[in-house]
Amino acid sequence: MSSINLDDLLINKSATVKDSLKQLDKVASKILFVIDENTKLIGSLTDGDVRRWILKNGSLQEAIENVCNKNTIFSSQSEKESDLLQRMAQHNIIYSPIVNEKKQIIDIYVRKTTTGSIIIKKKKKLNIPVVIMAGGKGTRMAPFTAVLPKPLVPIDDKTILEHIINGFYLYGIKNYYFTINYRGEMIRAYFDGIKKSYKITYLKEPEFYGTAGSLTLLPENINNTFIVSNCDIIVKADYANVLKFHKETNAVLTIISSIQHQTIPYGVIEYRNGGIVNKILEKPEYSFCINTGVYILQKECLAFIKHNQVFHMTNLIEELIKAGKTVVTYPVNENEYIDIGQWEEYRNTIDRLNAKAVYEN
């Protein structure tokens, strides 16, 4: 049987959901095994378990013992490898802890993968178009964007836009709409000049309409459901699961969000009336669910967008909520969201995009 380093995949039952998110970001397996002080197996924890907890408005400070899946598939030291493989295949799992007679984890068996690689299951094909808002001036990346439109900024041997399209293309998506404005002809010339196996329809803004205003340029026969993405971010979500969640919640708009952790680099003073200090929190860390700039929309949302004026996605969301429509969020982990639109993140993006991947059939 194959083994891997246990330390990275084990987490104590008293750790918080926030702690687990940080550890999940670091491991390629995207699964942790929850143990007690004696390394006895309590359960398993995945991104999906955490997401379901957050969507139930669960606290990030909750102990993972109350969040994890306690029906984890495990095996004994004496079990034959062939029997274990058969059980793992039946339950469609890749990692299985090996336990002793006290149910203490002594090893982990890995099926059909290699240690240290990111595991990406074969993508479900999606018949859905993607709208990429590529008309902005890209002021956050000046002075580069004084010459080149932000969507054409290179990362390795591809433009930002090509990296975004490649993420969606894994799901068989071949129909793309580009809303263009600033240096839009350069974007059109570049993509018309490269070999590609997908279709692009260009929607030219006569003025800057904002992040939602340009959607009024979409054709009337656009699909009832479509994806909208900013042109400077990459979200490594499972879009088949996002779409499933969108449909199950009967949402008209789903915001893909990302859980981010921010540390205040100072001592934060808590005080009451009269300036009486209660306590000082030294460099406290706070967690937020932020908007990534990728959305799933129903066609009916277009009727809420004001024409021929600046209208942002935040305006659209406010109008939908005001009208009693269902708007939901689908949170992903911190490392599954990459914001390329500022120089510090741009410099960090190349290594993150070059992460080795194993595709499972």
Side-chain angles (χ1 to χ4, degrees), residues 76 117 200 273:
S76 66
S117 297
I200 298 173
N273 191 28

Side-chain angles (χ1 to χ4, degrees), residues 18 22 260-268 281-288 334:
K18 181 191 286 189
K22 292 180 180 180
Q260 300 285 309
H261 310 287
Q262 298 292 331
T263 300
I264 306 298
Y266 309 103
V268 175
L281 304 174
E282 186 61 29
K283 297 182 180 179
E285 182 182 82
Y286 298 97
S287 298
F288 307 92
E334 189 170 29

Side-chain angles (χ1 to χ4, degrees), residues 55-87:
L55 290 174
K56 287 193 277 188
N57 207 27
S59 170
L60 292 180
Q61 300 302 327
E62 183 69 32
I64 57 173
E65 181 179 16
N66 301 321
V67 180
C68 69
N69 172 21
K70 296 182 179 177
N71 296 316
T72 304
I73 302 296
F74 61 90
S75 62
S76 66
Q77 294 173 271
S78 59
E79 184 172 8
K80 292 181 180 178
E81 183 174 9
S82 58
D83 293 339
L84 174 58
L85 278 171
Q86 185 177 6
R87 273 202 305 131

Side-chain angles (χ1 to χ4, degrees), residues 121-297:
K121 294 182 180 180
K122 187 176 180 180
K123 306 300 183 185
K124 181 179 178 181
K125 301 302 179 184
L126 301 177
N127 184 22
I128 182 173
V130 175
V131 182
I132 302 177
M133 296 176 284
K137 293 182 179 179
T139 53
R140 290 194 300 165
M141 296 191 74
F144 205 156
T145 47
V147 177
L148 200 65
K150 180 170 60 177
L152 296 187
V153 170
I155 299 176
D156 282 351
D157 59 346
K158 292 184 177 67
T159 63
I160 290 176
L161 263 181
E162 288 172 284
H163 282 288
I164 293 171
I165 289 172
N166 287 347
F168 290 118
Y169 194 80
L170 290 173
Y171 295 86
I173 297 175
K174 296 185 178 181
N175 190 12
Y176 299 87
Y177 292 89
F178 288 0
T179 65
I180 57 174
N181 190 327
Y182 178 71
R183 302 199 185 281
E185 293 309 313
M186 291 180 67
I187 297 172
R188 184 195 294 264
Y190 177 84
F191 279 91
D192 285 351
I194 64 172
K195 185 178 180 181
K196 55 187 179 296
S197 54
Y198 47 85
K199 177 187 174 184
I200 298 173
T201 301
Y202 300 95
L203 307 172
K204 172 68 174 175
E205 290 179 300
E207 301 290 342
F208 288 102
Y209 284 162
T211 52
S214 60
L215 298 179
T216 60
L217 302 173
L218 287 169
E220 290 185 3
N221 64 347
I222 187 76
N223 294 45
N224 282 331
T225 306
F226 55 93
I227 298 171
V228 175
S229 173
N230 285 345
C231 70
D232 55 3
I233 55 92
I234 295 174
V235 177
K236 296 181 177 181
D238 185 328
Y239 285 96
N241 283 342
V242 179
L243 192 59
K244 181 173 180 285
F245 176 77
H246 175 80
K247 292 178 178 178
E248 288 176 346
T249 55
N250 294 314
V252 295
L253 189 148
T254 294
I255 308 165
I256 299 183
S257 56
S258 174
I259 302 157
Q260 300 285 309
H261 310 287
Q262 298 292 331
T263 300
I264 306 298
Y266 309 103
V268 175
I269 300 171
E270 289 189 359
Y271 62 93
R272 60 184 184 272
N273 191 28
I276 305 299
V277 174
N278 294 326
K279 61 181 175 180
I280 296 179
L281 304 174
E282 186 61 29
K283 297 182 180 179
E285 182 182 82
Y286 298 97
S287 298
F288 307 92
C289 219
I290 61 110
N291 182 3
T292 65
V294 180
Y295 314 87
I296 312 292
L297 271 72

